Amino acid sequence: MIRLFYGLALPPAVVEALASYQNGLPGVRWIAPDALHLTLRFVDSVDEGLAEELDHTMAERFARRPHPPLDLQVKGMGLFGEGHRKKTLWAGVEHSPSLLALQRSVETVCQQVGLKPEGRVYSPHITLGKVVDRDYTQLVTDFVAPMVDQPNLLFSVEELSLFSSHLRPDGAQYEVVATIPLTAPAGAPTP
């Protein structure tokens, strides 16, 4: 079984800027900078045959119907959860029609190969850390409150990534196992 998800890798400048916020807060387990990404669709654990079918079907879909490169903006921070149950510290990614169209395309292909529909409404974000000590929840909340417009980072993405996820005691480790260009290569015939 392979634990997979589709997402967008972040450019080094964006990773560096986000990593600069990952300090000075006790009670938070920070995501390693090289693991920061924007998830589009969590696949979960699947057997190798389904993983290969999914990868092939996804690549075929974007070869037939290319998607324009994405211009994205990271803006603001927040916490998922309520009260003392707040546990995920994130940087927001502004909703854009192009990003939402890409996410819907990925979701459609996932369902096409037999995966169940994603149960949650898509909320584009980059997870920065997890609150692991509830005694610090208020401190983290106070840290996030003035960050309504920070960080404010623009970046472009031209490929979709398939990540594998390996769970470890110190947090998940991610590896890009495949990339799919969103646009057809220059000079390639358009189907």
Side-chain angles (χ1 to χ4, degrees):
M1 299 293 274
I2 307 168
R3 194 167 187 259
L4 300 171
F5 66 91
Y6 279 99
L8 303 175
L10 304 176
V14 172
V15 169
E16 185 178 326
L18 291 174
S20 72
Y21 290 92
Q22 294 181 303
N23 59 51
L25 279 177
V28 176
R29 182 181 71 217
W30 298 107
I31 304 299
D34 64 350
L36 295 174
H37 64 276
L38 172 60
T39 300
L40 293 173
R41 173 54 151 89
F42 182 65
V43 174
D44 207 353
S45 295
V46 295
D47 65 45
E48 288 186 28
L50 182 55
E52 288 177 18
E53 180 184 358
L54 181 59
D55 183 42
H56 174 77
T57 305
M58 194 70 70
E60 189 176 81
R61 186 268 179 230
F62 285 99
R64 281 185 289 115
R65 287 183 298 210
H67 191 283
L70 296 170
D71 291 321
L72 300 174
Q73 182 174 17
V74 177
K75 189 171 183 182
M77 287 188 185
L79 285 166
F80 286 131
E82 296 291 326
H84 287 294
R85 302 186 79 183
K86 293 178 182 173
K87 61 181 182 178
T88 302
L89 175 60
W90 51 263
V93 176
E94 284 200 336
H95 289 75
S96 72
S98 186
L99 174 61
L100 297 178
L102 175 61
Q103 191 278 330
R104 281 192 303 273
S105 294
V106 170
E107 176 65 30
T108 298
V109 172
C110 287
Q111 290 180 37
Q112 215 176 346
V113 300
L115 297 175
K116 292 181 181 177
E118 177 65 53
R120 296 173 285 185
V121 173
Y122 182 63
S123 177
H125 68 280
I126 300 161
T127 300
L128 299 176
K130 303 281 186 174
V131 178
V132 293
D133 187 335
R134 290 187 184 186
D135 291 341
Y136 292 98
T137 302
Q138 188 58 50
L139 181 66
V140 176
T141 301
D142 293 345
F143 170 80
V144 168
M147 305 299 256
V148 174
D149 293 321
Q150 296 299 321
N152 191 353
L153 307 165
L154 300 172
F155 66 101
S156 295
V157 176
E158 296 182 3
E159 63 185 18
L160 174 66
S161 296
L162 177 61
F163 293 84
S164 67
S165 173
H166 308 282
L167 299 178
R168 301 192 171 188
D170 60 342
Q173 180 182 23
Y174 307 122
E175 174 186 3
V176 174
V177 294
T179 58
I180 300 168
L182 295 177
T183 58
T190 305

